[in-house]
Amino acid sequence: MDFRVPDAIRDLAAALRRFVDEEVVPLEPALFAGGFGAVRGELDGLRGKAKELGLFAPQLPRELGGAGLTLLEFAHLGEVLGRTPLGHYVCNCQAPDAGNMELLLHHGSAEQRARWLAPLARGEIRSCFGMTEPEFAGSNPVWMGTTARRDGEDYVLDGHKWFTSSAEGAAFCVVMAVTAPAAPPHERASQILVPTDAAGFAIVRNLPVMGEAGEGWMSHAEVRLSGVRVPADHRIGAEGAGFALAQERLGPGRIHHCMRWLGICERAFDLMCQRAADREISPGEPLGTREIVHAWIAECRAASRSTTTRTAILRAIS
């Protein structure tokens, strides 16, 4: 199997690397000091620049304003974007929006794509995904208390979600809800598009993750749905297909996560090398210390290159 990177993708990744290092990474001190809101304005400007450079929504078809890349091609860019926590957001391929775009692209109706996918692809709105619940173990997603009861031409949703990533400021939520309680476990739930301004949809709070609650796109919310009424045509795909759609959404998402972590690991390695090169030897330090550190770094790189992580990822998506 040929894993060589096409020249066009290599050039695009190089341009993206310059953009990330020169334009996006410098925003990190303000982000870490003041949160997402402190850099929101600058990020909006960089999103516009990403569009000009042809780097916006690279995973989407060209007719939606994207670059039309395959998952394999996008993986190389995902690694570059992963060098900073803001990379994917600037290029509009961030979670959970990227997964929701794929859902709507492949399974949404024409009306759903026009109302939700088109502005999402343009970066005009954001979305969130509501599946996890505090009353049930997330390790077994067939345990779910949120229901969507059919009432004429509508669904009426009641339930309790949490760790609904990016809910604050989102225009809609893809909600997993039980629509057929008597069906087999993996055929009970459906995915339903719920506008966040619908009556009965409420964000209770942003939950702390590693000690910080976050805000905006970087938030994880506790959500209550109390008698939320939406038209039945807001369901994505067939009734009872929620888990199948979730698995389809999760497949590419796992690849996105892997490449993101490879990117930040590469950056950490670069910082380690820079530190080893810049560090001044203190008086009395044993001779050969610098060389030993360099040898450790070389062994670290050799060990990482000898693993099959990248190959396994690329093979899985080729």
Side-chain angles (χ1 to χ4, degrees):
M1 189 174 291
D2 186 1
F3 290 114
R4 286 176 295 182
V5 182
D7 290 340
I9 299 300
R10 191 183 301 277
D11 293 343
L12 193 58
L16 184 60
R17 173 67 182 269
R18 290 190 296 272
F19 177 60
V20 166
D21 288 351
E22 296 172 8
E23 305 277 359
V24 184
V25 169
L27 295 181
E28 290 179 351
L31 170 72
F32 298 143
F36 182 74
V39 294
R40 174 66 185 273
E42 289 85 348
L43 289 175
D44 288 343
L46 290 181
R47 283 186 142 201
K49 189 167 185 179
K51 290 181 181 179
E52 296 172 4
L53 295 172
L55 300 171
F56 199 72
Q59 81 286 4
L60 290 178
R62 294 185 184 278
E63 56 267 27
L64 285 170
L69 301 186
T70 66
L71 183 58
L72 178 58
E73 291 169 336
F74 173 71
H76 297 288
L77 302 190
E79 182 174 352
V80 176
L81 292 172
R83 293 178 62 82
T84 169
L86 296 171
H88 285 75
Y89 179 85
V90 167
C91 290
N92 198 30
C93 50
Q94 73 283 352
D97 293 305
N100 290 343
M101 290 181 206
E102 291 167 356
L103 272 178
L104 290 167
L105 177 63
H106 297 298
H107 300 283
S109 66
E111 292 78 9
Q112 290 170 354
R113 291 196 295 270
R115 179 177 178 182
W116 306 114
L117 177 58
L120 199 59
R122 293 191 296 265
E124 297 170 356
I125 62 174
R126 288 192 296 98
S127 63
C128 57
F129 189 85
M131 183 171 73
T132 309
E133 300 183 359
E135 290 83 10
F136 299 92
S139 58
N140 187 352
V142 299
W143 292 353
M144 187 175 299
T146 299
T147 60
R149 174 178 54 84
R150 190 67 180 260
D151 183 20
E153 297 300 313
D154 297 333
Y155 280 113
V156 179
L157 291 90
D158 290 280
H160 188 195
K161 302 290 187 181
W162 72 347
F163 292 104
T164 301
S165 299
S166 308
E168 184 180 81
F172 68 93
C173 181
V174 179
V175 176
M176 284 275 287
V178 174
T179 51
H186 292 90
E187 298 175 11
R188 292 174 184 165
S190 301
Q191 293 190 7
I192 299 173
L193 292 159
V194 178
T196 55
D197 62 357
F201 184 98
I203 294 178
V204 179
R205 56 173 175 149
N206 285 333
L207 296 162
V209 177
M210 298 182 71
E212 296 185 8
E215 60 180 311
W217 169 63
M218 303 186 83
S219 65
H220 308 275
E222 178 183 1
V223 173
R224 288 276 186 184
L225 299 104
S226 305
V228 179
R229 182 177 291 270
V230 298
D233 62 11
H234 281 34
R235 187 189 69 235
I236 304 175
E239 188 164 273
F243 286 104
L245 294 180
Q247 284 298 101
E248 186 172 333
R249 180 184 184 277
L250 192 59
R254 288 190 176 109
I255 302 302
H256 294 182
H257 285 316
C258 289
M259 302 315 292
R260 193 157 39 238
W261 282 112
L262 283 172
I264 202 64
C265 288
E266 285 290 333
R267 184 176 172 197
F269 184 84
D270 291 345
L271 291 171
M272 179 172 63
C273 292
Q274 190 63 51
R275 170 60 180 162
D278 294 344
R279 177 178 174 272
E280 295 183 6
I281 298 177
S282 59
E285 189 167 316
L287 294 176
T289 300
R290 185 187 297 275
E291 288 74 14
I292 291 173
V293 171
H294 290 181
W296 287 342
I297 293 174
E299 291 174 357
C300 176
R301 173 52 94 196
S304 69
R305 289 299 185 187
S306 68
T307 62
T308 59
T309 302
R310 275 188 183 79
T311 301
I313 292 172
L314 294 177
R315 181 178 291 117
I317 59 180
S318 62

